[in-house]
Amino acid sequence: MSNLHKPWLAQQTWEDLLFIHWPVAPSILAPFIPSPLELDHFKDSAWISIVPFLGTNNKARKLGEFLSLSPFLELNVRTYVKYKGEHGVYFLTMDADSPLAVIGARMIAGLPYFHAVMKHRKKQGIIHYSSQRRHNSQPDVSFSCNYAPVSEPYYPAASSLTYWLTERYSLWKAKQGKVTKGPIYHEPWKLQEAKLELHQNQLLNFLPEPIGHTSPLVHYCPTKHVKFYPFERLN
């Protein structure tokens, strides 16, 4: 049973969010997916995505009170999984420039957050986004790009790859065979096609084979409000 009927734990607004998606052979990604989660496929291909955004309106509930965080930048690497027929997202790394957000997410939610020095600048409709990971015992991974929307907003068709990649309302964790699901809620994605200039990308260096030789699928969303609900144990 979903936990969406319970009070939300945290809420956030995602601004200037970009989806950068690459197809990848399932054999490359499968070793990074903990059992019993399964790697999800779209027409026999797995996918990996990089998602930069600015997080604003950050609020968390604690003991009936609201705790607010200042806006911070976040940069996620994610792939797509399923468990007993239910589809969701699995995060491989999550970088943020807020030490408090990183510590809280690692300790409370057990998510793979790392601290990074990040910049977000918007000028004449073009967004520049850069990140340099600075986390103890982690390599100093760099990422830098420019992006901008180039189409009118639209809702992806339910049968499309874009819909399959974006319309997912749970994040999954698995440790020592124990599966937990983190439900989230937001309105359906209204996206724009986007132009991307990728200057540096070391976020995928952990993969045994490079995948950046193909052009990514790129989409932009100016703003999206999201609520996070309590994790639920499923097995």
Side-chain angles (χ1 to χ4, degrees):
M1 183 170 62
S2 173
N3 277 359
L4 288 178
H5 65 284
K6 296 183 178 181
W8 52 266
L9 287 181
Q11 65 178 6
Q12 185 179 49
T13 300
W14 297 334
E15 298 185 15
D16 287 335
L17 183 143
L18 190 72
F19 288 112
I20 314 171
H21 304 288
W22 284 275
V24 57
S27 59
I28 294 177
L29 273 178
F32 299 95
I33 308 302
S35 176
L37 298 179
E38 300 177 61
L39 190 63
D40 209 353
H41 302 164
F42 186 89
K43 296 182 179 179
D44 299 324
S45 180
W47 287 77
I48 194 168
S49 306
I50 294 176
V51 186
F53 63 90
L54 169 65
T56 63
N57 302 316
N58 301 295
K59 291 184 179 180
R61 279 188 206 268
K62 185 178 181 182
L63 302 176
E65 298 181 355
F66 292 120
L67 304 177
S68 298
L69 286 177
S70 300
F72 63 88
L73 297 169
E74 187 165 329
L75 177 63
N76 298 333
V77 177
R78 72 187 210 178
T79 189
Y80 305 91
V81 297
K82 57 185 177 180
Y83 178 71
K84 294 186 176 181
E86 187 172 355
H87 304 268
V89 171
Y90 181 77
F91 288 102
L92 296 158
T93 61
M94 308 173 81
D95 291 275
D97 68 349
S98 166
L100 186 58
V102 170
I103 293 170
R106 290 178 70 90
M107 293 182 61
I108 298 172
L111 292 170
Y113 269 87
F114 305 107
H115 183 250
V117 177
M118 309 171 81
K119 293 181 180 179
H120 167 272
R121 183 176 69 253
K122 193 171 185 177
K123 185 176 182 181
Q124 296 179 338
I126 298 175
I127 299 133
H128 173 73
Y129 200 107
S130 64
S131 174
Q132 181 74 47
R133 188 176 296 164
R134 291 284 189 263
H135 196 95
N136 290 339
S137 75
Q138 292 294 319
D140 291 342
V141 175
S142 298
F143 175 85
S144 177
C145 72
N146 292 339
Y147 56 95
V150 294
S151 77
E152 293 298 318
Y154 70 97
Y155 292 102
S159 60
S160 68
L161 170 61
T162 301
Y163 185 97
W164 183 89
L165 288 164
T166 56
E167 289 296 328
R168 291 175 179 252
Y169 293 88
S170 59
L171 61 95
W172 297 84
K173 301 185 298 178
K175 188 174 182 180
Q176 297 178 338
K178 300 176 182 178
V179 176
T180 51
K181 169 188 172 182
I184 66 171
Y185 174 78
H186 56 70
E187 294 296 325
W189 285 102
K190 192 174 185 180
L191 300 169
Q192 294 173 266
E193 307 293 337
K195 178 181 179 181
L196 170 70
E197 295 179 1
L198 191 55
H199 304 300
Q200 191 170 27
N201 179 20
Q202 298 176 334
L203 291 170
L204 306 182
N205 284 3
F206 67 93
L207 295 174
E209 299 179 26
I211 64 167
H213 58 279
T214 58
S215 296
L217 184 65
V218 185
H219 294 93
Y220 171 80
C221 182
T223 183
K224 176 67 66 180
H225 187 70
V226 60
K227 291 181 178 179
F228 304 88
Y229 288 83
F231 277 93
E232 50 192 275
R233 173 82 176 274
L234 296 185
N235 64 339

